[in-house]
Amino acid sequence: MKKIMTILWLTIVCATTLNAQSKFGESPKLVVGIVVDQMRWDYLSRYYDEFTEDGFRRMIDNGYSCNNCLINYVPTVTSIGHTSVYTGASPAFHGICGNNFYIDGRKTYCTADNSVQPVGSDNKKKGCMSPRNLLSTTIGDQLRLHTDFKSKVIGVSYKDRAAILPAGHAATAAYWLDTDNLCFISSTYYMTELPDWAKKVNQQLARNKELKKVGSKVGLYPLCGTITTDMAIAALKGEQLGKNKTTDMLCVSYSQTDVIGHEYGTRGTHTDEAYMQLDKDIARLLKALDSQVGEGNYVVFLTADHGASHNYKFMQDHKIPAGKWPDPDMKDGAEDYVKQKLGNSKNVIAAELDYRYYLDRNSISEQNLDYEKVKQTIIEYLRKAPNVCFVLDYEHASETSVPSIIRDRALMGYHYRRSGDILVVPSPNHYTFGSWSSPVGTTHGEWNPYDAHIPLLFYGWRIPQGATSREVHIVDIAPTICQLLHIQQPNACVGEAIVEITK
């Protein structure tokens, strides 16, 4: 009996070893990354019973869910989230420090590039875009390098930054929506002319009567997600993704959920409708993948770039502490306080972006002011402000007496040439509501769980069925996918492969 058990054990070991050996060097035909802009983690459970079996539930029930995936930096905004997913790095390393940020004193939009021209329309405001402000590589870049640029990598989204930054520097193409002309465009960074399949999509958009009714406010409606799905499927078929000898990659971002959230909040008919339609669109995308690539031949991951807070008035109505954080008044108040204390005549703050204060070093120098004294005077003022938990001097954050979770996330989000000088951490559920959010809408940007806790689903090729509540991070997604593909991680990656997926 003992001999039989020994033989059985050796057989199992050998089989396992052979299975492991067979996995090495193998890879799926296609990787599809899906990022849902502003999707809170708890939306998976909130809408679970309403989701169809072919959309979100197909991935939840038959794939693997990381139920405690957190963003490990601040601020939590769109461009940073998309970049961190695909680079496995934070702003400290990849350099995308916001949708807008300053580079050496010059205000910069994250994907702006005046050295390129639009392709697909003549709209320079929408089309002069590229990934040149991105300092690190992405999954797609590493895949292209690994295969001697034989793999195809394509990004598709409503937002330019959500198509460009995920796809990376060496991408085959990126396509985003010109909302002024209601067509998908690209830039000369990638091509000189749209491919025929993309032109056909634009011709269909031009004939879409519903789209014409919506007009430039297309982002406010679930229809935008459907258009994005149409474009993604057209790219899948037009470029024959998943039918090449090497693994291809398709990066899809759904942005309508963010625009709807800013306008209508985390509760209500519009948000509900957006996720019901998104569920149908994801089901349609998965069906197209089955048909084009074959079920079991592709791997999909789905996550978010950030979450969202409940509207502060909604919270107040239910006796939960919340409020609108008065940052415009804070900036003006800080300027007056500095003038009162130091006697300067000109302003010394260049901007406040995402709770970060950028000091105007030229102005400070011209007025013969001491930079450190100016900075400490502003910090002194901000620390006295209502609904402020912490104020960090970025350059000395590691020495500051604040909880490690705040300090670590601040440092992970800090790039010394791009992130400003001072970070303010408001009280929970206290927010800056700018022009992008309505009085009943929501916003995001902070370290708290409502902004930092995001969904993370894996589905398809070699993905086990199950779930974990172990803490993982947004920067762990890229090394996990790279491990599955047996390729090197992006060159600034600080995340770790999720072993439940890769073992």
Side-chain angles (χ1 to χ4, degrees):
M1 181 68 181
K2 185 177 180 180
K3 185 176 180 181
I4 294 173
M5 293 300 295
T6 301
I7 293 172
L8 179 61
W9 179 80
L10 287 171
T11 302
I12 293 171
V13 170
C14 290
T16 304
T17 303
L18 286 171
N19 187 44
Q21 289 175 343
S22 68
K23 288 182 181 179
F24 193 87
E26 293 183 356
S27 61
K29 294 181 178 180
L30 178 67
V31 175
V32 180
I34 300 174
V35 178
V36 183
D37 204 328
Q38 203 188 110
M39 184 175 183
R40 292 166 55 106
W41 171 76
D42 59 356
Y43 284 172
L44 290 178
S45 58
R46 176 175 174 79
Y47 294 118
Y48 179 83
D49 290 338
E50 299 173 64
F51 287 147
T52 64
E53 293 183 357
D54 299 323
F56 277 103
R57 284 179 63 171
R58 178 176 174 183
M59 296 186 66
I60 296 169
D61 295 344
N62 301 305
Y64 199 92
S65 178
C66 295
N67 293 326
N68 195 21
C69 183
L70 303 177
I71 295 174
N72 58 339
Y73 56 77
V74 286
T76 47
V77 297
T78 297
S79 61
I80 302 178
H82 280 81
T83 307
S84 298
V85 166
Y86 286 90
T87 62
S90 69
F93 304 94
H94 61 58
I96 300 298
C97 297
N99 298 336
N100 294 281
F101 51 93
Y102 281 72
I103 301 179
D104 296 333
R106 174 176 52 86
K107 190 173 182 181
T108 304
Y109 177 64
C110 58
T111 53
D113 185 353
N114 290 329
S115 71
V116 301
Q117 296 297 315
V119 173
S121 80
D122 58 0
N123 191 337
K124 292 188 176 183
K125 182 179 178 181
K126 297 288 185 179
C128 294
M129 305 289 173
S130 85
R132 284 185 173 140
N133 291 321
L134 174 61
L135 301 179
S136 64
T137 60
T138 63
I139 302 170
D141 290 329
Q142 297 302 139
L143 180 60
R144 294 268 285 164
L145 285 165
H146 187 79
T147 62
D148 292 328
F149 302 93
K150 295 174 183 175
S151 293
K152 292 183 178 181
V153 176
I154 294 176
V156 175
S157 183
Y158 160 59
K159 295 180 181 179
D160 54 74
R161 55 186 179 268
I164 292 169
L165 297 170
H169 298 278
T172 310
Y175 304 96
W176 57 95
L177 198 65
D178 176 350
T179 53
D180 295 335
N181 295 297
L182 298 179
C183 61
F184 278 99
I185 62 173
S186 190
S187 80
T188 52
Y189 180 88
Y190 305 98
M191 64 191 73
T192 56
E193 185 179 6
L194 292 179
D196 289 341
W197 62 262
K199 291 179 181 178
K200 289 180 181 178
V201 171
N202 284 337
Q203 290 169 1
Q204 293 169 357
L205 291 178
R207 294 193 296 266
N208 191 321
K209 295 180 180 180
E210 290 299 314
L211 185 59
K212 289 179 180 178
K213 292 179 185 178
V214 175
S216 63
K217 293 184 178 180
V218 64
L220 294 176
Y221 296 83
L223 178 60
C224 181
T226 301
I227 294 168
T228 300
T229 306
D230 291 343
M231 186 63 174
I233 292 174
L236 175 72
K237 296 178 179 179
E239 297 291 342
Q240 292 292 288
L241 300 179
K243 291 185 177 296
N244 303 303
K245 293 182 179 180
T246 57
T247 301
D248 295 322
M249 187 167 193
L250 177 62
C251 311
V252 185
S253 179
Y254 290 101
S255 304
Q256 76 280 1
T257 44
D258 181 72
V259 183
I260 291 171
H262 281 297
E263 185 73 14
Y264 300 110
T266 60
R267 293 289 186 269
T269 302
H270 292 283
T271 300
D272 295 345
E273 287 178 349
Y275 279 92
M276 294 305 98
Q277 182 59 48
L278 177 59
D279 182 56
K280 295 176 183 176
D281 288 324
I282 287 176
R284 192 158 58 92
L285 178 58
L286 292 175
K287 184 177 180 181
L289 291 169
D290 291 340
S291 175
Q292 179 73 10
V293 187
E295 186 174 359
N297 291 325
Y298 60 87
V299 62
V300 180
F301 68 83
L302 183 148
T303 188
D305 53 349
H306 55 74
S309 170
H310 296 312
N311 179 269
Y312 69 94
K313 291 182 179 178
F314 168 81
M315 298 290 273
Q316 291 171 351
D317 289 344
H318 292 82
K319 302 179 181 180
I320 298 174
K324 182 178 179 180
W325 197 67
D327 76 308
D329 296 335
M330 295 298 298
K331 179 177 178 293
D332 294 341
E335 292 280 17
D336 292 341
Y337 189 76
V338 172
K339 290 174 182 176
Q340 177 188 339
K341 288 283 187 176
L342 303 182
N344 56 299
S345 58
K346 297 180 181 178
N347 288 346
V348 293
I349 301 173
E352 186 276 329
L353 296 171
D354 302 319
Y355 310 99
R356 299 166 301 177
Y357 284 77
Y358 290 78
L359 301 193
D360 189 334
R361 301 197 181 212
N362 289 333
S363 177
I364 292 171
S365 177
E366 289 170 1
Q367 298 179 80
N368 294 316
L369 298 172
D370 182 87
Y371 164 74
E372 285 295 333
K373 186 172 286 187
V374 170
K375 183 168 60 172
Q376 292 307 315
T377 302
I378 294 171
I379 290 174
E380 179 181 297
Y381 173 81
L382 293 172
R383 282 178 174 162
K384 297 177 182 178
N387 300 313
V388 171
C389 281
F390 306 102
V391 182
L392 283 78
D393 177 347
Y394 265 132
E395 289 184 325
H396 303 286
S398 61
E399 309 158 19
T400 307
S401 298
V402 299
S404 59
I405 188 172
I406 302 295
R407 182 177 62 249
D408 293 346
R409 293 188 187 192
L411 289 171
M412 287 291 280
Y414 172 61
H415 188 283
Y416 78 101
R417 292 175 60 186
R418 300 184 174 195
S419 294
D421 304 272
I422 300 167
L423 173 68
V424 177
V425 181
S427 300
N429 281 115
H430 285 77
Y431 272 94
T432 297
F433 273 75
S435 59
W436 56 86
S437 296
S438 76
V440 297
T442 184
T443 190
H444 50 86
E446 301 177 352
W447 71 273
N448 309 75
Y450 40 76
D451 281 353
H453 190 187
I454 55 175
L456 177 55
L457 305 173
F458 293 90
Y459 172 80
W461 183 86
R462 299 288 173 86
I463 301 299
Q465 185 178 1
T468 181
S469 293
R470 182 176 68 85
E471 182 176 321
V472 300
H473 301 117
I474 189 171
V475 295
D476 296 334
I477 298 170
T480 301
I481 294 299
C482 289
Q483 185 70 35
L484 287 175
L485 300 181
H486 299 287
I487 64 175
Q488 187 58 270
Q489 299 171 352
N491 61 13
C493 181
V494 295
E496 298 181 1
I498 300 169
V499 295
E500 292 88 341
I501 300 299
T502 60
K503 65 182 179 181

